[in-house]
mmCIF file of all heavy atoms in Angstrom:
data_model
loop_
_atom_site.group_PDB
_atom_site.id
_atom_site.type_symbol
_atom_site.label_atom_id
_atom_site.label_comp_id
_atom_site.label_asym_id
_atom_site.label_seq_id
_atom_site.Cartn_x
_atom_site.Cartn_y
_atom_site.Cartn_z
ATOM 1 N N GLN N 130 101.398 63.777 92.278
ATOM 2 C CA GLN N 130 101.511 64.352 90.944
ATOM 3 C C GLN N 130 102.917 64.828 90.636
ATOM 4 O O GLN N 130 103.357 64.759 89.488
ATOM 5 C CB GLN N 130 100.472 65.450 90.788
ATOM 6 C CG GLN N 130 99.085 64.846 90.991
ATOM 7 C CD GLN N 130 97.956 65.817 90.812
ATOM 8 O OE1 GLN N 130 97.022 65.536 90.099
ATOM 9 N NE2 GLN N 130 98.038 66.975 91.446
ATOM 10 N N ARG N 131 103.623 65.267 91.660
ATOM 11 C CA ARG N 131 105.012 65.657 91.408
ATOM 12 C C ARG N 131 105.846 64.428 91.052
ATOM 13 O O ARG N 131 106.687 64.476 90.157
ATOM 14 C CB ARG N 131 105.611 66.389 92.617
ATOM 15 C CG ARG N 131 107.038 66.875 92.358
ATOM 16 C CD ARG N 131 107.430 68.069 93.193
ATOM 17 N NE ARG N 131 106.550 69.190 92.955
ATOM 18 C CZ ARG N 131 106.596 69.948 91.861
ATOM 19 N NH1 ARG N 131 107.489 69.722 90.920
ATOM 20 N NH2 ARG N 131 105.749 70.929 91.717
ATOM 21 N N ILE N 132 105.598 63.329 91.761
ATOM 22 C CA ILE N 132 106.329 62.102 91.449
ATOM 23 C C ILE N 132 105.942 61.601 90.052
ATOM 24 O O ILE N 132 106.796 61.111 89.308
ATOM 25 C CB ILE N 132 106.068 61.025 92.523
ATOM 26 C CG1 ILE N 132 106.639 61.471 93.881
ATOM 27 C CG2 ILE N 132 106.707 59.686 92.125
ATOM 28 C CD1 ILE N 132 108.132 61.618 93.950
ATOM 29 N N ASP N 133 104.686 61.743 89.687
ATOM 30 C CA ASP N 133 104.286 61.423 88.301
ATOM 31 C C ASP N 133 105.172 62.165 87.301
ATOM 32 O O ASP N 133 105.700 61.573 86.360
ATOM 33 C CB ASP N 133 102.833 61.848 88.034
ATOM 34 C CG ASP N 133 101.814 60.945 88.705
ATOM 35 O OD1 ASP N 133 102.192 59.858 89.183
ATOM 36 O OD2 ASP N 133 100.624 61.323 88.755
ATOM 37 N N ARG N 134 105.312 63.464 87.524
ATOM 38 C CA ARG N 134 106.068 64.264 86.558
ATOM 39 C C ARG N 134 107.542 63.906 86.584
ATOM 40 O O ARG N 134 108.174 63.762 85.529
ATOM 41 C CB ARG N 134 105.871 65.757 86.863
ATOM 42 C CG ARG N 134 104.443 66.225 86.600
ATOM 43 C CD ARG N 134 104.291 67.732 86.692
ATOM 44 N NE ARG N 134 104.400 68.268 88.026
ATOM 45 C CZ ARG N 134 103.390 68.430 88.876
ATOM 46 N NH1 ARG N 134 102.153 68.080 88.514
ATOM 47 N NH2 ARG N 134 103.582 68.937 90.063
ATOM 48 N N LEU N 135 108.100 63.769 87.793
ATOM 49 C CA LEU N 135 109.517 63.425 87.892
ATOM 50 C C LEU N 135 109.792 62.047 87.289
ATOM 51 O O LEU N 135 110.862 61.812 86.726
ATOM 52 C CB LEU N 135 109.984 63.463 89.348
ATOM 53 C CG LEU N 135 110.203 64.859 89.933
ATOM 54 C CD1 LEU N 135 110.439 64.791 91.433
ATOM 55 C CD2 LEU N 135 111.363 65.563 89.244
ATOM 56 N N SER N 136 108.821 61.141 87.400
ATOM 57 C CA SER N 136 109.105 59.818 86.851
ATOM 58 C C SER N 136 108.919 59.813 85.337
ATOM 59 O O SER N 136 109.593 59.070 84.634
ATOM 60 C CB SER N 136 108.283 58.739 87.540
ATOM 61 O OG SER N 136 106.934 58.878 87.233
ATOM 62 N N LYS N 137 108.048 60.693 84.841
ATOM 63 C CA LYS N 137 107.961 60.853 83.392
ATOM 64 C C LYS N 137 109.309 61.332 82.837
ATOM 65 O O LYS N 137 109.709 60.958 81.734
ATOM 66 C CB LYS N 137 106.858 61.868 83.041
ATOM 67 C CG LYS N 137 105.887 61.368 81.990
ATOM 68 C CD LYS N 137 104.672 62.287 81.862
ATOM 69 C CE LYS N 137 103.441 61.737 82.576
ATOM 70 N NZ LYS N 137 102.372 62.736 82.780
ATOM 71 N N ARG N 138 110.005 62.145 83.611
ATOM 72 C CA ARG N 138 111.310 62.631 83.178
ATOM 73 C C ARG N 138 112.440 61.644 83.484
ATOM 74 O O ARG N 138 113.600 61.896 83.130
ATOM 75 C CB ARG N 138 111.622 63.959 83.865
ATOM 76 C CG ARG N 138 110.615 65.045 83.548
ATOM 77 C CD ARG N 138 111.295 66.385 83.495
ATOM 78 N NE ARG N 138 111.107 67.184 84.674
ATOM 79 C CZ ARG N 138 111.884 68.217 85.004
ATOM 80 N NH1 ARG N 138 112.926 68.528 84.243
ATOM 81 N NH2 ARG N 138 111.645 68.917 86.077
ATOM 82 N N GLY N 139 112.097 60.563 84.174
ATOM 83 C CA GLY N 139 113.099 59.529 84.426
ATOM 84 C C GLY N 139 113.973 59.745 85.648
ATOM 85 O O GLY N 139 114.965 59.044 85.826
ATOM 86 N N TYR N 140 113.628 60.712 86.501
ATOM 87 C CA TYR N 140 114.480 61.000 87.650
ATOM 88 C C TYR N 140 114.121 60.176 88.887
ATOM 89 O O TYR N 140 114.942 60.044 89.791
ATOM 90 C CB TYR N 140 114.418 62.482 88.003
ATOM 91 C CG TYR N 140 114.904 63.393 86.910
ATOM 92 C CD1 TYR N 140 114.491 64.716 86.844
ATOM 93 C CD2 TYR N 140 115.790 62.932 85.937
ATOM 94 C CE1 TYR N 140 114.946 65.564 85.837
ATOM 95 C CE2 TYR N 140 116.240 63.765 84.927
ATOM 96 C CZ TYR N 140 115.810 65.084 84.884
ATOM 97 O OH TYR N 140 116.259 65.907 83.895
ATOM 98 N N VAL N 141 112.906 59.698 88.942
ATOM 99 C CA VAL N 141 112.509 58.803 90.037
ATOM 100 C C VAL N 141 111.635 57.701 89.443
ATOM 101 O O VAL N 141 111.199 57.791 88.295
ATOM 102 C CB VAL N 141 111.691 59.528 91.141
ATOM 103 C CG1 VAL N 141 112.441 60.710 91.709
ATOM 104 C CG2 VAL N 141 110.332 59.952 90.612
ATOM 105 N N CYS N 142 111.422 56.657 90.230
ATOM 106 C CA CYS N 142 110.405 55.684 89.841
ATOM 107 C C CYS N 142 109.694 55.217 91.109
ATOM 108 O O CYS N 142 110.126 55.539 92.220
ATOM 109 C CB CYS N 142 111.032 54.505 89.104
ATOM 110 S SG CYS N 142 112.254 53.642 90.083
ATOM 111 N N ARG N 143 108.608 54.508 90.919
ATOM 112 C CA ARG N 143 107.874 53.986 92.075
ATOM 113 C C ARG N 143 108.144 52.508 92.240
ATOM 114 O O ARG N 143 108.301 51.789 91.252
ATOM 115 C CB ARG N 143 106.369 54.183 91.865
ATOM 116 C CG ARG N 143 105.887 55.558 92.307
ATOM 117 C CD ARG N 143 104.396 55.690 92.126
ATOM 118 N NE ARG N 143 104.112 56.654 91.081
ATOM 119 C CZ ARG N 143 103.481 57.806 91.278
ATOM 120 N NH1 ARG N 143 103.025 58.135 92.474
ATOM 121 N NH2 ARG N 143 103.271 58.626 90.275
ATOM 122 N N GLU N 144 108.187 52.056 93.498
ATOM 123 C CA GLU N 144 108.240 50.615 93.751
ATOM 124 C C GLU N 144 107.234 50.285 94.840
ATOM 125 O O GLU N 144 107.101 51.015 95.821
ATOM 126 C CB GLU N 144 109.648 50.205 94.209
ATOM 127 C CG GLU N 144 110.651 50.142 93.071
ATOM 128 C CD GLU N 144 112.033 49.691 93.558
ATOM 129 O OE1 GLU N 144 112.119 48.972 94.567
ATOM 130 O OE2 GLU N 144 113.022 50.104 92.906
ATOM 131 N N LYS N 145 106.537 49.183 94.630
ATOM 132 C CA LYS N 145 105.586 48.745 95.656
ATOM 133 C C LYS N 145 106.350 48.396 96.928
ATOM 134 O O LYS N 145 107.440 47.826 96.884
ATOM 135 C CB LYS N 145 104.831 47.496 95.188
ATOM 136 C CG LYS N 145 103.872 47.685 94.040
ATOM 137 C CD LYS N 145 102.745 48.687 94.307
ATOM 138 C CE LYS N 145 101.895 48.341 95.538
ATOM 139 N NZ LYS N 145 100.897 49.445 95.808
#
Side-chain angles (χ1 to χ4, degrees):
Chain N
Q130 300 182 130
R131 183 154 301 285
I132 295 295
D133 287 348
R134 292 189 289 270
L135 284 171
S136 68
K137 230 169 259 165
R138 300 214 258 161
Y140 298 157
V141 304
C142 59
R143 274 182 248 244
E144 284 182 27
K145 292 300 303 174

